[in-house]
Amino acid sequence: MRKNIVAGNWKMNKTLCEGISFAKELNDALTADAPHCDVVICTPFIHLASVAPLVAPAKIGVGAENCADKVSGAYTGEVSAAMVASTGATYVILGHSERRAYYGETVAMLEEKVKLALANGLVPIFCIGEVLEEREAGKQNEVVAAQMASVFSLSAEDFSKIILAYEPVWAIGTGKTATPAQAQEIHAYIRSLVADKYGKEIADDCSILYGGSCKPSNAKELFVNPDVDGGLIGGAALTIADFKGIIDAFK
Ligand code: PGA
């Protein structure tokens, strides 16, 4: 069954203390007022072990923002999928455009990361999306189709465990959001790629989130589209009021 999901991506924000208070406050808010969608918070590695036990797992999932493309060994500074899973986290964002652009993550590396995440029981939130020049040249479909190669080597069973997030790079942190029509159009295209590869049933069950300057004021008009199943939220995931406002778009 396809799920509606609102996932927060803290990026490199919040000290450990700030992260702990946020998680407690969010847990209280969603206990008092139950969400009508799945909620996930993706935090820096150092927060995971502290935050995971503080939230009700039925209500809030916890995830990392990345993991290594290697199993273990002499890779100074890296954190493996097994290590992430050992904290109690159950999700991991992979292929975020900031990782692709600033840390050189390639289609092949991401394929390894996705496989290791799945092998360790983590749910990958796999991000794809084009940059502004590609959108202006009308190449967005081509770009996302090429990025999907990282997950199209999975078995149908494994593919059905992942969540996709379409994030146009020109909309991330810029205040510029894709219009609901632009989001719907490319989400439908992404779902058609999944249907071509794995069949209609798996495509229909796949959650495809939108990310890029999503906020309480525009969440509803984006999520109401038939192929937009929620959001991956950056800036607006950093305060309870904004994040809860987006979660409430599903009410
Ligand atoms: P934004 O970031 O909501 O701040 O635009 C989204 C993301 O990068 O996941």
Side-chain angles (χ1 to χ4, degrees):
M1 263 287 286
R2 197 193 303 185
K3 287 180 180 166
N4 289 324
I5 303 163
V6 172
N9 173 11
W10 291 2
K11 307 193 179 181
M12 198 172 74
N13 292 294
K14 295 190 189 297
T15 62
L16 181 57
C17 281
E18 289 164 352
I20 287 173
S21 331
F22 182 97
K24 282 186 185 154
E25 215 181 309
L26 182 68
N27 193 58
D28 290 347
L30 298 185
T31 303
D33 182 17
H36 291 192
C37 61
D38 284 9
V39 175
V40 179
I41 49 177
C42 295
T43 81
F45 293 126
I46 65 131
H47 297 65
L48 295 172
S50 305
V51 161
L54 293 178
V55 297
K59 226 163 256 137
I60 305 174
V62 174
E65 301 172 10
N66 180 30
C67 71
D69 61 342
K70 303 284 194 300
V71 174
S72 66
Y75 301 102
T76 302
E78 288 294 295
V79 175
S80 72
M83 292 172 187
V84 170
S86 74
T87 66
T90 51
Y91 293 83
V92 59
I93 296 173
L94 293 173
H96 191 280
S97 64
E98 288 150 17
R99 301 290 322 168
R100 292 177 192 263
Y102 308 148
Y103 301 98
E105 296 197 356
T106 62
V107 168
M109 280 166 73
L110 289 168
E111 185 175 350
E112 286 309 304
K113 291 186 182 206
V114 168
K115 286 186 175 150
L116 286 167
L118 287 166
N120 286 282
L122 298 171
V123 175
I125 302 175
F126 182 70
C127 304
I128 54 178
E130 79 286 356
V131 300
L132 185 61
E133 303 80 73
E134 291 162 339
R135 165 71 55 170
E136 283 173 349
K139 290 192 169 149
Q140 62 273 16
N141 287 5
E142 227 175 278
V143 171
V144 298
Q147 291 169 334
M148 288 294 282
S150 301
V151 290
F152 275 174
S153 60
L154 297 174
S155 66
E157 192 192 341
D158 274 347
F159 182 87
S160 61
K161 295 176 188 157
I162 77 171
I163 297 165
L164 297 177
Y166 168 68
E167 301 202 302
V169 180
W170 47 271
I172 295 178
T174 58
K176 208 172 161 191
T177 319
T179 64
Q182 282 173 322
Q184 169 55 28
E185 190 183 20
I186 194 154
H187 279 231
Y189 172 70
I190 294 163
R191 199 177 303 284
S192 78
L193 293 175
V194 177
D196 289 348
K197 178 78 193 171
Y198 295 106
K200 189 174 179 317
E201 199 176 320
I202 286 181
D204 280 345
D205 283 351
C206 179
S207 296
I208 309 178
L209 315 184
Y210 168 81
S213 297
C214 187
K215 34 188 189 276
S217 59
N218 61 22
K220 204 169 212 147
E221 65 188 31
L222 288 159
F223 299 170
V224 87
N225 289 287
D227 289 299
V228 180
D229 308 309
L232 180 56
I233 320 298
L238 297 176
T239 65
I240 299 286
D242 283 346
F243 194 49
K244 175 84 169 42
I246 294 171
I247 292 165
D248 288 347
F250 278 114
K251 288 207 162 156

